[in-house]
Amino acid sequence: MTDSKYFTTTKKGEIFELKAELNSDKKEKKKEAVKKVIASMTVGKDVSALFPDVVNCMQTDNLELKKLVYLYLMNYAKSQPDMAIMAVNTFVKDCEDPNPLIRALAVRTMGCIRVDKITEYLCEPLRKCLKDEDPYVRKTAAVCVAKLHDINAQLVEDQGFLDTLKDLISDSNPMVVANAVAALSEIAESHPNSNLLDLNPQSINKLLTALNECTEWGQIFILDCLANYTPRDDRESQSICERVTPRLSHANSAVVLSAVKVLMKFMEMLPKDLDYYGTLLKKLAPPLVTLLSAEPELQYVALRNINLIVQKRPEILKHEMKVFFVKYNDPIYVKLEKLDIMIRLASQANIAQVLAELKEYATEVDVDFVRKAVRAIGRCAIKVEQSAERCVSTLLDLIQTKVNYVVQEAIVVIKDIFRKYPNKYESVIATLCENLDSLDEPEARAAMIWIVGEYAERIDNADELLESFLEGFHDESTQVQLQLLTAIVKLFLKKPTETQELVQQVLSLATQDSDNPDLRDRGYIYWRLLSTDPVAAKEVVLAEKPLISEETDLIEPTLLDELICHIGTLASVYHKPPSAFVEGSRGVQHKRLPPRTGSGESTESPEGAQSAGTAVPEAVPAVIPSQGDLLGDLLNLDLGPPTTGVTPAPTSAMQMGAMDLLGGGLDSLLGGDIGGSPAVSHFFFLVIYNFPFFYGGSVFLFSPYLQVWLPAMKAKGLEIAGTFSRRAGVIHMELSLTNKAMSVMTDFAIQFNRNSFGLAPAGPLQVLTPLSPNQTIEVSLPLSTVGPVMKMEPLNNLQVAVKNNIDVFYFSCQYPISILFVEDGKMERQVFLATWKDIPNENEAQFHIKDCHLNSDAASSKLQSNNIFTIAKRTVDSQDMLYQSIKLTNGIWVLGELRLQAGNSNYTLSLKCRAPEVSQYVFQCYETVLKN
């Protein structure tokens, strides 16, 4: 009878019976009882009450019984740590057993029992096993070191086990070498900067020798380790490739992929004109093709990896197109992946063959596959220009089949072909318009609307076609609504007299009847463009569009290089770096391909820049003003305007030809205490930092939300709302003036009081027409930063006077200090390092940003769009450190170190500045940017 009988009993009182059997004098009865206990444990029953009785069974010579008891111990030791210590003596004794299997079993089990109290007893037996005469025991002990390091890293380091593990790389037995490499790799992965695997040509030679003799999984460990090594030159790289190449013919697909990874990485260092380079390319193709004859699941993994390889080096498989042709019995996931690779390998030489296949696929019964095949025809047209006409003809044939989903996909790809080859294939538009009524998918409807709008002048009834879509506007998807809005505006600009009602109707639907902010914003932009400057609207909306690129779905090059370093792992199947799907600290170390021979590589951190032999110059460029300059001095209360190389022209309204609104200035009128007076309202202002607009080729930050700075009841009916923006390097005060009085307002002028950063109007307040009752005018006032300076409290306080024909009105507001961050604020690495050291430590301020969920790349990108520039990035113990610089308009530099850790939403920010008063305001900018 088989062991399945142990899983069938579910009677009551079983625990007591088992207890009695475990304490029986008969060995066979004991063994049967332990088997029953293990069976109960396996099906989820709690048999922890039998812990002392099972542990007593350890004292036996029977290997099978010992294995069962050890299995029980591993499962329950964590819940019964005090009882588990009872077993320690037996473990220690078993580690000295004459039978190597028992010695290995004891040390393996002790490594699997994750109880702190036991680990200290494990050290001596483990030390003996690491130097055991039997290789089986040594290889087991090597893996045990990695497990122990996971429980107590400090203990492993103190006991010198890591050094012993490094010595095992020189072991005479290849399996011991493989396990030592596996253990060190595991430890190094959780401590990326520990430099445990200090590989050199001698150790590499030992690994390559062991590679030929160890088991397949041992080969994978060694190959993965080799992939982390960077050869000194192309000769060493070629030597390693020659010794790894035989692994390509291994029966295990994992070994093959690991070998491919090593070769792909080391090929980077080989000159392309080298004969061996061409030979290696030819050798890589057959093993990859062979992987496609395995079962479907393995085929899929192989195809995902081949997809990466083809993107990096298409020449490897350029003659193997036929192996990627789809078979009738391939699962859908294999079919779709093969199709993707076919497109990547398509070229002028094989395009006829590929198109014939794709046309065949478009008649299949699998809807998803047919859709992908039709899209593939379009991608071929875009990739291989000579085939475009044949592809369009094939797509028209497919449209004639009148199969709904085929027609819709064909229209989507024809839209892309029009973008790639303008004014070439527009003769097919009539055929497309015939199928308008059959379109029910958003993407197809949006594509057809784009075609009608783009070629409205060639379609006689374009207005009728678009009007038919407009009838169910609110039922359409956002994609269709946005496309319809743009298409009707294009139509209006091409045929203004015939379509005025249509454009008014769509603008009204988009702005007044829609809840979608994207649609509403686009509607308002078009409305204002059309109402203020139709010529500019024509230039913007009907501008010549750039041709679309050949391969829009290629993986970004730096990510592709990283994924090539992860061939044969989950990362190569997901096409994502490990940091995107591995939780915690493991697996987040970024790998990259070695530089090509002769190419230079920049250092990764400011420290690296210095250690790489670049001495910090004795006289550091004066990138940071000394304490006596600029803000350092300006923050003293009684200073006048700053003196610079060029004497600034007199600012304020006097220069602009307007009267001095204030006579002696704001402080003389209001007792000089607006900044701190509780009687004056301070309006706080929030910029939506992650809302970039593009203006004249530059990014600028703009808040659509205005703050009311001066209520109408305090200003005889004049309400002033406003915000600040920086665009094209110029600061603007965006004002909205509303007349809530009964009389007309005219003769507007504006003046600022002295402030911390010398902000002043750069021109007059342009209110060109009288402001009628209930009317609102929006004005953008450019500001300069060369006005008179005086320290304000708070630092970013701005006191303003506005005059009109009725009176002079005063208010104060606060600007975000980010509007002072200039575009040339990226400091050189060496200068950054020298400056950071030069600024006194007492000037360093530390802040905490809580509840932020961005990775370092996303955070860096967001901050850079706000002129906070990342100089370098380091990763230490799974913590990313971004070194950043900011330059203010008055020349003051702020240096920052932002620390982020994967899985932790709290960031630490350290700021250093010659004028530490600024740091608090810069921190507020960081917080707003990263949280919004």
Side-chain angles (χ1 to χ4, degrees):
M1 192 173 178
T2 64
D3 286 347
S4 59
K5 64 181 179 183
Y6 299 113
F7 294 91
T8 56
T9 56
T10 53
K11 57 189 178 185
K12 288 185 178 180
E14 193 176 8
I15 296 287
F16 298 106
E17 286 181 24
L18 287 171
K19 198 177 184 77
E21 288 177 22
L22 287 168
N23 292 307
S24 168
D25 296 331
K26 294 181 180 175
K27 285 185 180 179
E28 276 307 310
K29 207 166 188 181
K30 245 185 198 179
K31 191 167 150 187
E32 289 293 306
V34 173
K35 282 187 177 181
K36 287 177 187 174
V37 170
I38 298 295
S40 300
M41 180 181 84
T42 308
V43 296
K45 287 184 189 173
D46 182 12
V47 285
S48 58
L50 297 169
F51 198 94
D53 306 290
V54 175
V55 169
N56 286 335
C57 298
M58 282 178 76
Q59 305 292 342
T60 177
D61 297 330
N62 187 306
L63 186 60
E64 187 184 2
L65 179 56
K66 201 175 275 286
K67 279 183 180 178
L68 291 168
V69 175
Y70 280 180
L71 189 63
Y72 177 88
L73 267 172
M74 282 190 269
N75 198 48
Y76 282 114
K78 204 164 189 178
S79 59
Q80 306 260 359
D82 296 326
M83 298 290 287
I85 290 182
M86 290 166 51
V88 166
N89 286 334
T90 310
F91 281 133
V92 173
K93 186 180 164 190
D94 283 353
C95 284
E96 296 178 359
D97 195 277
N99 186 341
L101 290 176
I102 290 180
R103 294 202 298 274
L105 181 63
V107 79
R108 177 191 289 132
T109 308
M110 284 182 84
C112 292
I113 295 175
R114 302 178 65 83
V115 177
D116 288 333
K117 290 180 181 178
I118 285 186
T119 52
E120 55 195 78
Y121 297 104
L122 172 59
C123 295
E124 272 315 305
L126 181 57
R127 184 175 282 106
K128 287 179 184 173
C129 290
L130 281 168
K131 295 180 178 174
D132 197 282
E133 60 184 23
D134 193 285
Y136 182 75
V137 180
R138 292 201 302 276
K139 85 177 183 71
T140 307
V143 175
C144 186
V145 173
K147 291 177 181 174
L148 183 59
H149 189 275
D150 200 34
I151 302 166
N152 191 338
Q154 194 58 49
L155 181 71
V156 170
E157 288 165 27
D158 294 344
Q159 293 286 336
F161 289 144
L162 294 180
D163 294 327
T164 313
L165 212 50
K166 288 178 188 177
D167 293 340
L168 288 181
I169 290 181
S170 306
D171 197 277
S172 58
N173 186 285
M175 269 318 298
V176 177
V177 175
N179 277 22
V181 167
L184 284 169
S185 301
E186 177 81 11
I187 295 167
E189 211 167 76
S190 58
H191 294 73
N193 298 308
S194 57
N195 199 24
L196 285 173
L197 279 162
D198 186 15
L199 299 172
N200 53 51
Q202 291 71 34
S203 57
I204 289 293
N205 190 43
K206 288 169 186 169
L207 293 181
L208 288 167
T209 305
L211 184 64
N212 298 321
E213 300 172 40
C214 58
T215 65
E216 51 196 24
W217 291 112
Q219 291 181 33
I220 292 165
F221 291 137
I222 291 174
L223 287 167
D224 286 350
C225 179
L226 286 171
N228 294 326
Y229 175 64
T230 303
R232 293 167 303 174
D233 51 33
D234 56 340
R235 188 175 295 175
E236 188 186 2
S237 183
Q238 181 176 339
S239 169
I240 294 171
C241 288
E242 285 170 351
R243 294 178 70 178
V244 168
T245 305
R247 300 301 106 209
L248 292 173
S249 55
H250 201 284
N252 187 312
S253 54
V255 175
V256 174
L257 284 175
S258 291
V260 168
K261 170 168 61 183
V262 174
L263 296 172
M264 285 291 290
K265 188 170 180 182
F266 289 178
M267 276 174 77
E268 284 293 307
M269 296 192 69
L270 297 177
K272 288 195 173 182
D273 54 357
L274 194 71
D275 290 342
Y276 181 71
Y277 181 84
T279 309
L280 197 53
L281 285 178
K282 288 175 187 169
K283 284 184 177 177
L284 276 168
L288 293 172
V289 169
T290 305
L291 290 175
L292 299 181
S293 57
E295 51 267 34
E297 292 80 8
L298 277 179
Q299 275 189 58
Y300 177 73
V301 172
L303 287 165
R304 292 295 281 175
N305 281 277
I306 288 169
N307 200 326
L308 296 174
I309 293 164
V310 164
Q311 287 184 55
K312 185 68 183 171
R313 299 198 182 283
E315 63 270 27
I316 292 175
L317 290 161
K318 66 180 179 183
H319 300 303
E320 305 292 343
M321 175 64 85
K322 282 191 176 178
V323 299
F324 299 106
F325 286 172
V326 171
K327 296 175 184 167
Y328 75 95
N329 59 347
D330 280 339
I332 182 65
Y333 54 87
V334 171
K335 285 181 177 178
L336 295 177
E337 208 56 43
K338 281 185 174 179
L339 205 52
D340 206 31
I341 295 168
M342 279 173 66
I343 305 307
R344 299 205 191 287
L345 292 174
S347 64
Q348 196 175 342
N350 57 25
I351 194 68
Q353 207 178 13
V354 171
L355 273 180
E357 277 290 309
L358 293 176
K359 192 172 181 182
E360 196 68 35
Y361 300 160
T363 59
E364 292 267 347
V365 291
D366 192 314
V367 176
D368 286 338
F369 182 53
V370 171
R371 286 177 182 278
K372 191 94 184 238
V374 175
R375 294 224 170 185
I377 294 170
R379 282 173 64 189
C380 284
I382 290 164
K383 187 176 180 185
V384 186
E385 187 172 350
Q386 294 80 355
S387 73
E389 196 164 332
R390 191 183 294 178
C391 290
V392 171
S393 170
T394 305
L395 288 168
L396 286 175
D397 291 346
L398 292 172
I399 288 173
Q400 297 306 328
T401 63
K402 301 292 182 187
V403 177
N404 188 266
Y405 54 86
V406 174
V407 171
Q408 306 205 67
E409 287 296 333
I411 285 173
V412 171
V413 297
I414 286 174
K415 183 256 294 184
D416 290 338
I417 293 171
F418 284 169
R419 285 286 310 275
K420 177 71 176 173
Y421 309 110
N423 305 316
K424 218 171 176 188
Y425 301 108
E426 282 73 16
S427 55
V428 307
I429 292 175
T431 310
L432 302 182
C433 291
E434 289 169 12
N435 294 279
L436 205 65
D437 297 336
S438 64
L439 306 181
D440 54 16
E441 292 170 12
E443 198 177 359
R445 288 172 77 82
M448 193 65 225
I449 290 166
W450 181 88
I451 292 168
V452 173
E454 189 67 17
Y455 300 101
E457 68 279 9
R458 304 185 186 202
I459 304 171
D460 297 334
N461 62 336
D463 53 340
E464 292 172 20
L465 295 176
L466 293 176
E467 197 169 2
S468 66
F469 284 104
L470 206 57
E471 290 165 8
F473 185 78
H474 290 302
D475 299 326
E476 299 284 5
S477 71
T478 304
Q479 184 183 7
V480 176
Q481 290 176 333
L482 287 166
Q483 202 59 263
L484 190 54
L485 171 61
T486 302
I488 291 175
V489 171
K490 284 180 185 173
L491 178 64
F492 171 70
L493 291 169
K494 291 174 181 178
K495 301 178 180 178
T497 51
E498 304 161 35
T499 55
Q500 199 161 348
E501 279 185 32
L502 191 61
V503 80
Q504 284 177 342
Q505 188 182 351
V506 77
L507 288 172
S508 174
L509 285 168
T511 56
Q512 294 169 24
D513 304 341
S514 172
D515 295 330
N516 186 309
D518 291 339
L519 183 63
R520 212 166 49 233
D521 289 351
R522 190 182 290 193
Y524 279 126
I525 288 169
Y526 284 149
W527 202 320
R528 288 190 183 172
L529 263 176
L530 294 170
S531 58
T532 54
D533 192 346
V535 177
K538 203 162 190 173
E539 286 175 7
V540 171
V541 180
L542 300 181
E544 194 173 324
K545 290 158 198 65
L547 301 182
I548 59 174
S549 62
E550 292 178 5
E551 295 274 4
T552 52
D553 60 338
L554 284 176
I555 294 172
E556 191 266 324
T558 52
L559 175 58
L560 180 61
D561 285 354
E562 187 177 350
L563 292 176
I564 291 292
C565 296
H566 290 290
I567 283 176
T569 68
L570 265 181
S572 66
V573 178
Y574 288 152
H575 286 188
K576 291 177 182 177
S579 53
F581 59 87
V582 177
E583 289 185 6
S585 61
R586 291 174 184 269
V588 295
Q589 188 178 9
H590 292 286
K591 298 181 181 180
R592 57 180 184 173
L593 294 176
R596 279 215 163 272
T597 309
S599 70
E601 279 288 297
S602 60
T603 49
E604 274 301 294
S605 68
E607 285 82 349
Q610 190 178 356
S611 62
T614 310
V616 178
E618 287 181 20
V620 179
V623 288
I624 294 196
S626 64
Q627 189 69 36
D629 293 343
L630 299 169
L631 190 60
D633 273 346
L634 301 180
L635 295 176
N636 297 323
L637 285 172
D638 300 322
L639 272 182
T643 56
T644 58
V646 179
T647 306
T651 53
S652 85
M654 297 298 286
Q655 173 195 342
M656 306 163 201
M659 61 173 282
D660 182 352
L661 305 179
L662 306 173
L666 278 173
D667 42 357
S668 64
L669 278 170
L670 296 175
D673 67 343
I674 284 190
S677 169
V680 178
S681 300
H682 289 180
F683 294 94
F684 289 86
F685 154 78
L686 174 68
V687 177
I688 307 304
Y689 283 87
N690 57 351
F691 193 76
F693 278 68
F694 291 89
Y695 182 86
S698 304
V699 177
F700 70 93
L701 301 161
F702 175 72
S703 169
Y705 304 107
L706 304 178
Q707 287 277 325
V708 176
W709 285 336
L710 184 66
M713 60 184 292
K714 291 186 178 180
K716 301 181 181 178
L718 173 64
E719 184 183 274
I720 300 177
T723 185
F724 293 90
S725 69
R726 182 181 183 91
R727 52 182 192 262
V730 179
I731 302 168
H732 290 258
M733 183 186 235
E734 314 288 351
L735 292 167
S736 175
L737 309 176
T738 303
N739 183 357
K740 296 192 174 180
M742 301 303 290
S743 56
V744 174
M745 295 181 181
T746 57
D747 304 326
F748 283 90
I750 192 166
Q751 189 172 324
F752 294 174
N753 195 13
R754 288 181 292 170
N755 54 78
S756 305
F757 293 92
L759 286 178
L765 188 60
Q766 298 280 358
V767 182
L768 303 176
T769 56
L771 188 59
S772 306
N774 295 318
Q775 186 187 357
T776 298
I777 288 180
E778 292 178 355
V779 184
S780 184
L781 177 68
L783 307 181
S784 72
T785 53
V786 291
V789 176
M790 181 180 77
K791 181 181 178 182
M792 302 298 290
E793 189 58 48
L795 203 61
N796 59 340
N797 198 36
L798 183 65
Q799 299 166 355
V800 185
V802 172
K803 168 200 166 286
N804 63 10
N805 61 326
I806 297 171
D807 205 345
V808 179
F809 308 106
Y810 307 99
F811 64 90
S812 101
C813 59
Q814 290 177 5
Y815 49 89
I817 207 165
S818 60
I819 63 169
L820 306 172
F821 297 172
V822 297
E823 287 68 22
D824 62 342
K826 187 164 185 177
M827 190 180 272
E828 291 294 324
R829 292 184 182 197
Q830 292 91 334
V831 176
F832 179 96
L833 185 61
T835 307
W836 183 277
K837 290 177 179 175
D838 194 41
I839 297 174
N841 287 337
E842 55 267 26
N843 282 25
E844 183 173 348
Q846 195 168 84
F847 306 96
H848 297 284
I849 302 170
K850 297 181 178 177
D851 301 317
C852 199
H853 302 279
L854 298 171
N855 63 29
S856 58
D857 292 336
S860 179
S861 174
K862 260 193 168 188
L863 291 165
Q864 182 147 333
S865 67
N866 290 273
N867 293 342
I868 301 173
F869 298 95
T870 300
I871 309 298
K873 173 182 168 184
R874 288 176 64 213
T875 303
V876 179
D877 291 336
S878 78
Q879 188 177 56
D880 288 340
M881 297 184 188
L882 302 179
Y883 297 91
Q884 298 174 319
S885 67
I886 303 163
K887 185 182 177 185
L888 303 185
T889 49
N890 57 6
I892 283 291
W893 288 84
V894 183
L895 308 188
E897 181 194 68
L898 183 63
R899 276 173 277 170
L900 314 81
Q901 187 150 17
N904 187 348
S905 61
N906 297 335
Y907 302 169
T908 304
L909 174 67
S910 298
L911 295 174
K912 264 192 171 187
C913 182
R914 301 277 186 197
E917 300 92 331
V918 177
S919 296
Q920 177 64 36
Y921 299 92
V922 173
F923 156 65
Q924 288 168 4
C925 293
Y926 264 87
E927 199 171 37
T928 314
V929 170
L930 295 171
K931 283 192 173 183
N932 283 317

